[in-house]
Amino acid sequence: MSHHIRTQGRLNQTVEVNIDKYADYCPICHVTVSPYQIGAFLNGNDDTSESLQIVYRCPNNDCGKVFLAMYRGVVQSGAITRRWYFFQNVEPGCPKYPNIPEAIKNLSEPFVILFQQAFFAEEYGLKEICGSGYRKALEFLVKDFVLCDKKHSASERKKIISMTLSQCINNYIEDSVTKEMAKRAAWLGNDETHYYRKWQDKDL
């Protein structure tokens, strides 16, 4: 399906172009919508431009934010320079918050913050830094889980806080399945923070 719309060229002149689709999703509130179109702008003077941006506003009463739909210009069949504009993506992308169980939220607030930030980094394509964030989040989750046991003395709690993650897992996680899973997560997490990767066949 195609749509014929009016846009503005770089010199503010009106240019009519064809696009393949309108944006139908708000990247900020993550709701399927029919957004209000505020304006459309080419990066050149006419429909030989390489890209098109359409400015939308979300009609959702709980959002109302402005976002851009990005289009790529493709030369029409049989034409030398005239282009159709094909939808690519919407910006700014704002990832959904990951679904974290209430029990985990109540157990470790630092874990929730760290995990969300690492998740956002991954969603934005920052693959080289999100792994270290997940690794740090894991350590907070494990240690906060261990420290929630009120039987630990003040001196033992201090020792738990300062010990390595692997020591904490080995010494204080009792359930065998949980311990094995935590160990493997820690091994892979360490690979995300070190120069040399031990687990060459594993990725993020």
Side-chain angles (χ1 to χ4, degrees):
M1 187 174 181
S2 64
H3 304 277
H4 198 65
I5 66 169
R6 290 187 174 185
T7 70
Q8 283 184 272
R10 194 165 50 197
L11 300 178
N12 292 326
Q13 73 277 30
T14 299
V15 182
E16 294 188 352
V17 300
N18 293 307
I19 63 173
D20 65 326
K21 62 174 288 186
Y22 293 112
D24 58 3
Y25 176 80
C26 175
I28 300 170
C29 69
H30 308 287
V31 172
T32 299
V33 293
S34 295
Y36 306 125
Q37 182 176 320
I38 297 175
F41 305 91
L42 295 162
N43 74 325
N45 292 325
D46 53 30
D47 62 352
T48 65
S49 304
E50 294 181 354
S51 65
L52 164 70
Q53 296 178 337
I54 300 180
V55 183
Y56 289 105
R57 183 175 182 182
C58 177
N60 187 349
N61 289 334
D62 295 325
C63 180
K65 300 292 196 307
V66 173
F67 63 91
L68 294 175
M70 317 296 289
Y71 293 79
R72 176 176 58 91
V74 177
V75 176
Q76 299 177 40
S77 177
I80 299 175
T81 54
R82 304 298 177 188
R83 298 173 188 264
W84 271 63
Y85 293 88
F86 289 88
F87 179 84
Q88 287 187 293
N89 62 289
V90 287
E91 296 180 1
C94 182
K96 283 185 179 180
Y97 279 87
N99 185 21
I100 299 174
E102 286 299 319
I104 300 297
K105 292 179 181 178
N106 295 332
L107 173 67
S108 179
E109 183 179 351
F111 165 79
V112 173
I113 294 171
L114 288 164
F115 184 86
Q116 287 175 344
Q117 291 185 3
F119 176 80
F120 287 169
E122 183 178 3
E123 289 293 293
Y124 283 124
L126 306 178
K127 306 293 186 182
E128 296 301 319
I129 65 170
C130 57
S132 58
Y134 285 131
R135 166 59 179 77
K136 186 174 182 179
L138 176 66
E139 180 157 347
F140 272 82
L141 180 62
V142 169
K143 289 191 175 181
D144 284 346
F145 173 72
V146 171
L147 291 169
C148 75
D149 190 337
K150 303 300 183 183
K151 71 180 181 183
H152 300 309
S153 65
S155 60
E156 189 171 11
R157 292 174 66 85
K158 186 175 181 181
K159 182 177 72 173
I160 292 169
I161 291 171
S162 62
M163 70 175 43
T164 66
L165 175 58
S166 60
Q167 288 175 331
C168 189
I169 293 169
N170 287 326
N171 296 339
Y172 291 98
I173 301 297
E174 296 179 358
D175 179 76
S176 60
V177 175
T178 304
K179 175 175 285 192
E180 191 63 26
M181 184 169 58
K183 280 182 179 180
R184 295 184 184 205
W187 295 339
L188 295 175
N190 289 340
D191 262 1
E192 297 295 328
T193 63
H194 295 154
Y195 188 90
Y196 174 74
R197 181 178 289 274
K198 291 182 180 179
W199 303 90
Q200 298 289 340
D201 62 332
K202 306 296 183 183
D203 58 17
L204 179 64

